[in-house]
Amino acid sequence: MASPASPLSPPKVLIVGAGVAGLLLGALLERAKIPYVIFERAATVKPLGAIMSVNASILPVFEQIGIYDDLMKFSYTTDGMYIYDENLNLIRHNSNEGVKEAIGYGPLVFSRPKFYDLLLAQIPTDKIHFNKKVVSIEHGEEIEKNPFGSHVKIVCADNTSYEGDILVGADGTYSAVRQSLYKDLREKNLLPKNDMQALKIGYLTMVGTTDPLDVNTYPELKDDFSHFHFVIGNGKPHTWHTFTVPENKMCWGVQVQLTKDAGSEDKSARDEAEWGPQGTEAMIKEVRDFTTPYGPLGKIIDATPRERISKVYLEEKLFDTWHYGRTVLIGDAAHKMSPSQGQGAVNALEDAVILANCLYDIAETPTYQNITEAFKEYKEQRFPHVKFHFQDSAMKARLVFGQTWSDQLLRKIFVGYMPQYVRLNEIIKAGTYKPQCLFLPLAPKRGTKDPLPQKPLKRKLL
């Protein structure tokens, strides 16, 4: 069992969850020379998930840590989204024209498993442990006369235990770290009412990535950019989409708007099988005949290995409590967003960047007070941006996924009448927020728009 750090040593960080946020945080701590270990409950890496999109807000960090060029090898830019009705009548083309010139990067799309592998390669094998399901957490009580003496401890299902100075919950929507932390806070009457309420479940999605396809059958695969087609069902609670991606593959997805109480009895299944391939066959049968610009959706699904098809509920929740004591939450553990704008993963990655900066600031003097101040600083820097994207993603989900009469009216107004320049201005404004890892050489400025100022480090660079 590892021991916590001693005075004048950097804090030892336990990261629970090897999703994209946990891996990026580990990669940044590696470069900051802050000791860490990542614990993942899955026994192996599973190539699940389909399309993933990132934008200008996080790409400078990928330049900083040297993975941008590798990312570009399996990424495409896109000229925007083509929106159709079920009869494939084009409703609107949301163009991305001018975005790259203004903020330096165009939006990138790629297969999520490849991006995951790229991040995983940044972590030394001895610093990540799989098959480590956390079953209990002990938050050490603080001793006023010995601010270095307290720690946190995790116990795993295999009866192993680990101690550290900081615990990071990067373990997703139904975070074990968050649940343990909130249980302690509830017993102390310190948990806000909002954090006691369940996540909102509005939609269900099924996604997949095909094997390589015949470019003669699908000529759009010959292009060096992604074609994004989005179809809105007529009189059914479904929307569906396709993306072309490198290696002659296609990512696809189907979204279903749920009734108010749908899925409420399945929480335990969601907790254990998020992004798992369970229960997909019935849904595949239901959507096989849905129309796409390439023919029936079933034709694309049949080119997708069943083990790479996932079904998951799409929850939403912005938690108020992100940290307490020596424990802090990042990514979906702190804020679960609708995927309508592709902001969930981007904001999780931004969390990792800002938290790494804050931990670097106190790494030379990791007292309890300094650790809690670092967590407070992290939330103060991130919360306004997360709140904006959370609210925007929820509203845009209604526009692209919603099928109630009010959703359809909202879509008619925005999709039918919103000028392109208004939407582009929103994208460009959001893209000026580009937090970087301040203890690494900064990425060069790109684009005509200046990035938003970033709060400087307190600690001098080595």
Side-chain angles (χ1 to χ4, degrees):
M1 182 172 65
S3 299
S6 60
L8 302 182
S9 297
K12 181 173 183 179
V13 182
L14 308 182
I15 303 172
V16 177
V20 294
L23 292 180
L24 181 59
L25 179 60
L28 297 178
L29 296 182
E30 182 76 22
R31 289 157 174 80
K33 302 188 185 308
I34 295 175
Y36 68 95
V37 185
I38 301 175
F39 303 90
E40 168 56 43
R41 70 177 184 175
T44 58
V45 177
K46 299 178 181 180
L48 298 175
I51 193 72
M52 183 171 172
S53 176
V54 296
N55 55 35
S57 293
I58 195 63
L59 291 175
V61 176
F62 297 161
E63 288 195 81
Q64 287 186 284
I65 64 174
I67 66 172
Y68 179 77
D69 290 341
D70 290 330
L71 176 65
M72 292 301 296
K73 292 176 183 177
F74 57 84
S75 300
Y76 276 164
T77 58
T78 174
D79 66 345
M81 176 171 65
Y82 292 83
I83 305 173
Y84 305 86
D85 65 19
E86 192 172 331
N87 298 319
L88 297 185
N89 297 311
L90 182 63
I91 300 173
R92 181 185 177 104
H93 173 214
N94 281 339
S95 172
N96 290 329
E97 185 178 359
V99 170
K100 183 175 181 180
E101 291 76 12
I103 55 179
Y105 308 84
L108 296 183
V109 295
F110 43 81
S111 176
R112 187 184 185 99
K114 281 188 168 292
F115 177 65
Y116 186 89
D117 289 343
L118 181 59
L119 284 180
L120 183 62
Q122 309 306 306
I123 307 299
T125 55
D126 63 331
K127 294 186 179 180
I128 182 167
H129 301 308
F130 289 95
N131 203 23
K132 292 291 183 178
K133 181 179 179 180
V134 175
V135 294
S136 68
I137 299 170
E138 297 177 13
H139 306 274
E141 293 297 328
E142 295 308 321
I143 304 172
E144 185 176 353
K145 294 182 180 180
N146 184 9
F148 294 98
S150 301
H151 59 271
V152 290
K153 175 182 175 181
I154 62 172
V155 180
C156 300
D158 60 0
N159 292 321
T160 56
S161 61
Y162 304 85
E163 293 183 17
D165 303 280
I166 290 172
L167 175 62
V168 179
D171 49 341
T173 308
Y174 288 95
S175 165
V177 174
R178 187 188 67 239
Q179 292 181 47
S180 174
L181 178 65
Y182 282 14
K183 180 177 182 292
D184 287 351
L185 293 176
R186 192 182 299 113
E187 292 173 353
K188 297 175 182 177
N189 293 319
L190 295 176
L191 190 65
K193 182 178 179 181
N194 174 62
D195 292 342
M196 299 181 188
Q197 297 172 350
L199 287 82
K200 177 182 176 182
I201 307 169
Y203 308 92
L204 173 71
T205 189
M206 181 172 66
V207 298
T209 301
T210 69
D211 281 335
L213 301 171
D214 182 1
V215 296
N216 294 316
T217 304
Y218 303 96
E220 288 186 341
L221 292 171
K222 298 177 183 179
D223 294 330
D224 61 355
F225 62 92
S226 180
H227 292 269
F228 178 16
H229 300 296
F230 191 91
V231 184
I232 299 171
N234 300 338
K236 56 169 64 84
H238 296 78
T239 58
W240 54 98
H241 66 266
T242 60
F243 277 92
T244 56
V245 293
E247 299 182 342
N248 299 330
K249 295 181 180 180
M250 196 177 299
C251 295
W252 57 270
V254 181
Q255 298 78 36
V256 185
Q257 186 173 40
L258 302 174
T259 59
K260 183 177 180 180
D261 297 322
S264 59
E265 71 278 9
D266 297 327
K267 177 186 177 301
S268 61
R270 293 197 307 276
D271 192 10
E272 291 299 319
E274 185 172 12
W275 292 107
Q278 294 83 354
T280 58
E281 289 302 325
M283 191 170 176
I284 289 173
K285 184 177 180 180
E286 180 183 4
V287 305
R288 291 192 63 85
D289 296 330
F290 286 7
T291 54
T292 79
Y294 310 106
L297 183 61
K299 184 179 179 182
I300 300 171
I301 293 175
D302 288 343
T304 307
R306 287 300 193 264
E307 66 272 14
R308 292 212 302 266
I309 298 177
S310 323
K311 187 175 76 170
V312 65
Y313 287 91
L314 303 180
E315 299 101 336
E316 297 175 329
K317 179 76 175 182
L318 176 56
F319 292 95
D320 291 326
T321 306
W322 290 17
H323 62 88
Y324 184 78
R326 294 178 178 267
T327 302
V328 63
L329 307 174
I330 65 174
D332 287 353
H335 43 77
K336 176 65 173 176
M337 297 186 190
S338 161
S340 60
Q341 295 297 292
Q343 286 293 336
V346 171
N347 274 270
L349 295 166
E350 290 169 349
D351 286 352
V353 174
I354 298 302
L355 181 59
N357 285 337
C358 293
L359 294 183
Y360 182 86
D361 258 343
I362 57 93
E364 294 180 320
T365 54
T367 64
Y368 173 74
Q369 180 179 356
N370 286 345
I371 289 172
T372 56
E373 284 297 316
F375 292 167
K376 180 180 178 182
E377 180 65 39
Y378 151 70
K379 186 185 177 185
E380 287 179 352
Q381 289 190 43
R382 287 292 300 136
F383 193 83
H385 298 282
V386 169
K387 184 177 181 180
F388 168 80
H389 286 296
F390 176 83
Q391 294 174 338
D392 186 58
S393 294
M395 192 273 285
K396 296 294 173 54
R398 295 183 60 192
L399 290 179
V400 296
F401 302 153
Q403 293 288 12
T404 67
W405 70 267
S406 59
D407 295 336
Q408 293 179 43
L409 177 61
L410 188 67
R411 181 161 54 242
K412 183 176 181 180
I413 294 172
F414 278 83
V415 175
Y417 301 104
M418 177 186 283
Q420 285 282 4
Y421 76 86
V422 175
R423 190 188 68 86
L424 289 172
N425 285 343
E426 287 183 353
I427 296 173
I428 291 170
K429 182 179 179 180
T432 59
Y433 176 64
K434 301 176 184 176
Q436 294 198 44
C437 193
L438 297 180
F439 51 85
L440 296 177
L442 297 181
K445 177 183 179 295
R446 303 188 187 279
T448 59
K449 296 290 185 180
D450 290 330
L452 291 177
Q454 186 172 351
K455 194 168 184 178
L457 292 175
K458 300 174 184 176
R459 175 185 168 190
K460 293 182 179 180
L461 294 177
L462 298 177

